Amino acid sequence: MEADLKAGFKDKTNKMLGYHPEDAKLSKSYIAVAFMALLVGGFLGLIQGLNRAGLLELPTWFNYYQVLTAHGLLLILVLTAFFTIGYFYAALSHNLGGILPKVRRLAWTGFYVKLVGFVLAVIPILMNEASVMYTFYPPMAAHPVFYIGLALIVVGVWLCCIGAFIQVANWRKNHKGQHVPILSYFATGVFVLLFFALMFVAVEVLFMIIPWVFGWVDTINVMVARTLFWAFGHTLVNIWYLTAVSAWYVVVPKIIGGKRWSDLLTRVVVIALVIMNITGGFHHQIIDPGINAVVKFMHVFMSLAIGFPSLMTAFALFAVFERTARRKGGKGLIGWWKKMPWGDVRFLAPFIAMLSFIPAGAGGIAQSTNQLDQVVHNTMWIVGHFHLTLGMSVVMTFFGISYWLVPFISNRVLTPQINRLGVIQTWIWTVGMIFMAGAMHYVGLLGSPRRTSYTTYGDHATALGWDPYLMCLAVGGTLLIIGVILQVYAVFNLMFFAPKGETEFPIAEEEDNATKTPYITERWGIWIVVMIIVVAMAYVIPLTEFIVNAPPGSPPFKTW
């Protein structure tokens, strides 16, 4: 009875807090840009896939490496950054009683600064002056304007981070002793990670690459630059993952009519992912020369440590599924699965995303170990792993979120027709990704390299043996572009054409009689200090070694 009253009060509070038109406009703008990037980036991905399979020859004025760079920039930076910020700002608005005016101004400023940055980054790509495959990875050097654009993107994201910190701090000031609502807690973790991860790439771009590409210095320390890049690059992947996990923990249980497993466990997972994430970047250099074996061993351990919160997440979420299904009458060892709402795209899409993280995470473990990584490094396996992680686990969760978030911020409702379309889109996307990512993994094991356009290496028998798998890659890419078109249609239909009405912002309550969450989980100052100590353990020794005993610096190279 008490629990029901409590839940009813929170529902009313949510409804009262729920929809803030000015904040909704902000989130809607971010989400709209994210899905426009998906549409353009998706078509570029199809072109890239057809070329990689030898089915399409690109003109000299728009080559494979330009397409690859633009595809990566749009999907890895624009789609993910704009969706994450739009989603979490909607959560901050809903959870914390509306965005403060000064925070809203910061977010809008960040929005336009990022847009300007992206335009500046795209221009040299179109001019074939920045085909560096969306990385900041010396000694390959792009046109200086490309890096200036990227620096503006960093500034824009930082403004959004600062805005989120101000918003949460203001709520805590007015709600002393209370726990920050769980989805805003996730947002805090994501923005903390973003803020600190961006420091690494900001140092690399502002103090190393820009002086180098302008010719103010002759050479660059490649080892330092690559290390700074991966401290940012790998953390970015896990920022997307933490964003997806927030929906798995908080939203999916509500959609299936269940409750969250444990508030304490949820917050511990957030803290663990924040503390241990940045150090995971070093495993991308695990077979690089010039790095001490002891340092590599330490980083294998630090990379694998990220698996623990993921295992906790798997346990908690499947426990929620089973408990909820059994409460609804599900019987037997596996019979309770029939009680899951398989026809609801808001559940189906994130559920398949969760399942895909099992092979995606296992692939990540393979790449974190020295011996296994020597087999797959710089092969198509890596590309397959990346698409399985980002394209399935993360982006499919984003798709699932869009079916309630877009109606919520647009003051509209999800119609049965769009729900059916979403279910169809989910299966098309799943089959397409199985074909494409599966083929990439396998052909990578056969030795097919990544980051190259189609070649038979003079009709060498080994290279010709890759062709059937590259054809599967092209089939998968074709299915995926169908999925992209359906998804973008669904989002803009829900944004502008669906019937007017109220949509719930689904936030699951904690299980009854759950263990009380200690307030120390709110002490972000402590967790940030711990994170800095762990990061220092990981990076101070190798970076000092790279600087004190620096290898010969490199001039800029244009390899295309």
Side-chain angles (χ1 to χ4, degrees):
M1 181 67 181
E2 184 183 351
D4 290 341
L5 287 173
K6 186 179 175 184
F9 174 75
K10 288 193 174 181
D11 283 344
K12 289 176 182 175
T13 305
N14 284 341
K15 190 172 181 181
M16 182 178 71
L17 296 176
Y19 182 78
H20 299 268
E22 290 186 323
D23 301 342
K25 182 180 176 183
L26 175 70
S27 288
K28 199 156 61 174
S29 300
Y30 270 93
I31 299 292
V33 171
F35 280 95
M36 286 190 285
L38 173 68
L39 183 63
V40 179
F43 273 105
L44 292 173
L46 175 66
I47 293 170
Q48 192 185 334
L50 294 177
N51 176 267
R52 193 67 172 79
L55 298 173
L56 176 69
E57 188 169 346
L58 291 170
T60 54
W61 53 268
F62 195 49
N63 62 57
Y64 178 85
Y65 301 100
Q66 283 175 280
V67 174
L68 193 159
T69 303
H71 170 72
L73 188 73
L74 283 165
L75 297 190
I76 293 176
L77 294 182
V78 183
L79 167 64
T80 55
F82 276 79
F83 188 92
T84 298
I85 293 170
Y87 164 59
F88 276 129
Y89 263 75
L92 292 171
S93 171
H94 177 71
N95 286 175
L96 307 184
I99 300 291
L100 296 169
K102 61 182 175 184
V103 173
R104 200 181 301 124
R105 283 195 294 274
L106 276 173
W108 274 117
T109 305
F111 178 84
Y112 291 115
V113 169
K114 287 195 289 288
L115 279 187
V116 171
F118 284 123
V119 170
L120 289 179
V122 164
I123 290 172
I125 294 173
L126 296 176
M127 296 168 62
N128 199 22
E129 292 290 339
S131 298
V132 289
M133 292 173 278
Y134 62 85
T135 62
F136 327 122
Y137 217 42
M140 291 176 70
H143 192 281
V145 173
F146 178 75
Y147 297 110
I148 292 171
L150 295 176
L152 287 176
I153 294 169
V154 170
V155 172
V157 176
W158 259 339
L159 290 175
C160 294
C161 294
I162 293 168
F165 297 152
I166 293 172
Q167 184 70 32
V168 173
N170 177 73
W171 188 91
R172 287 164 59 95
K173 180 181 174 185
N174 295 311
H175 298 79
K176 289 191 181 299
Q178 296 183 33
H179 290 276
V180 171
I182 188 64
L183 206 50
S184 295
Y185 193 82
F186 270 101
T188 306
V190 162
F191 284 115
V192 165
L193 267 179
L194 263 174
F195 187 85
F196 284 96
L198 286 170
M199 286 184 175
F200 291 92
V201 78
V203 170
E204 185 201 3
V205 171
L206 293 176
F207 298 107
M208 298 183 73
I209 291 182
I210 288 182
W212 178 59
V213 294
F214 271 108
W216 302 335
V217 295
D218 295 329
T219 61
I220 192 169
N221 186 323
V222 172
M223 295 297 288
V224 171
R226 289 161 70 107
T227 303
L228 293 174
F229 172 76
W230 280 121
F232 156 77
H234 183 81
T235 308
L236 188 61
V237 175
N238 283 294
I239 287 168
W240 309 329
Y241 169 62
L242 186 54
T243 304
V245 166
S246 74
W248 300 353
Y249 267 108
V250 181
V251 173
V252 172
K254 178 73 172 179
I255 287 172
I256 65 174
K259 297 189 176 184
R260 278 189 292 130
W261 168 261
S262 163
D263 187 73
L264 174 58
L265 181 142
T266 309
R267 292 176 197 257
V268 168
V269 165
V270 175
I271 293 168
L273 286 172
V274 168
I275 290 174
M276 296 190 289
N277 245 325
I278 293 177
T279 56
F282 216 102
H283 77 256
H284 289 262
Q285 298 169 263
I286 201 163
I287 65 170
D288 277 7
I291 301 175
N292 187 300
V294 175
V295 170
K296 288 185 177 181
F297 182 80
M298 178 177 70
H299 281 279
V300 168
F301 175 77
M302 287 184 158
S303 297
L304 295 180
I306 300 172
F308 287 102
S310 298
L311 291 173
M312 292 162 67
T313 298
F315 172 78
L317 293 175
F318 281 90
V320 167
F321 295 151
E322 183 178 359
R323 285 188 173 201
T324 305
R326 292 197 186 282
R327 272 201 295 265
K328 293 181 175 181
K331 305 288 184 186
L333 185 63
I334 58 173
W336 55 270
W337 283 82
K338 297 175 184 174
K339 296 294 180 181
M340 293 287 100
W342 301 109
D344 188 339
V345 66
R346 301 171 305 162
F347 164 74
L348 181 68
F351 179 81
I352 294 177
M354 289 178 212
L355 285 185
S356 71
F357 193 70
I358 297 172
I365 290 173
Q367 289 151 222
S368 301
T369 53
N370 187 44
Q371 291 86 347
L372 293 177
D373 194 50
Q374 290 190 51
V375 177
V376 299
H377 195 74
N378 277 336
T379 73
M380 286 290 281
W381 164 287
I382 304 293
V383 188
H385 166 73
F386 194 57
H387 279 84
L388 199 56
T389 308
L390 175 60
M392 282 292 283
S393 301
V394 173
V395 170
M396 189 172 269
T397 301
F398 289 179
F399 290 170
I401 291 171
S402 71
Y403 287 99
W404 58 263
L405 179 61
V406 174
F408 174 80
I409 58 180
S410 305
N411 216 19
R412 296 176 187 273
V413 294
L414 172 64
T415 60
Q417 294 81 8
I418 294 297
N419 182 63
R420 278 197 295 275
L421 182 73
V423 171
I424 293 168
Q425 190 276 341
T426 299
W427 286 117
I428 290 175
W429 188 268
T430 302
V431 174
M433 199 58 81
I434 288 172
F435 266 89
M436 192 178 82
M440 287 172 167
H441 275 88
Y442 196 79
V443 80
L445 290 176
L446 298 178
S448 179
R450 60 171 168 159
R451 293 176 168 170
T452 60
S453 59
Y454 179 73
T455 175
T456 62
Y457 295 95
D459 288 340
H460 191 281
T462 300
L464 292 175
W466 301 333
D467 281 355
Y469 305 101
L470 297 177
M471 199 62 70
C472 286
L473 183 159
V475 170
T478 305
L479 288 172
L480 289 173
I481 193 61
I482 296 171
V484 165
I485 293 169
L486 294 179
Q487 180 63 36
V488 172
Y489 169 77
V491 165
F492 284 97
N493 180 282
L494 291 170
M495 195 174 283
F496 298 110
F497 305 108
K500 287 281 187 181
E502 290 187 4
T503 291
E504 179 189 26
F505 198 117
I507 297 177
E509 299 298 330
E510 194 181 8
E511 288 270 4
D512 296 332
N513 304 317
T515 304
K516 187 178 179 183
T517 305
Y519 194 72
I520 194 171
T521 56
E522 296 293 325
R523 304 293 189 193
W524 276 103
I526 296 174
W527 308 127
I528 290 172
V529 169
V530 174
M531 178 190 74
I532 291 171
I533 292 171
V534 173
V535 170
M537 287 169 58
Y539 285 105
V540 168
I541 293 175
L543 282 175
T544 302
E545 174 69 17
F546 297 155
I547 295 169
V548 174
N549 298 311
S554 174
F557 282 94
K558 184 177 178 181
T559 57
W560 62 95

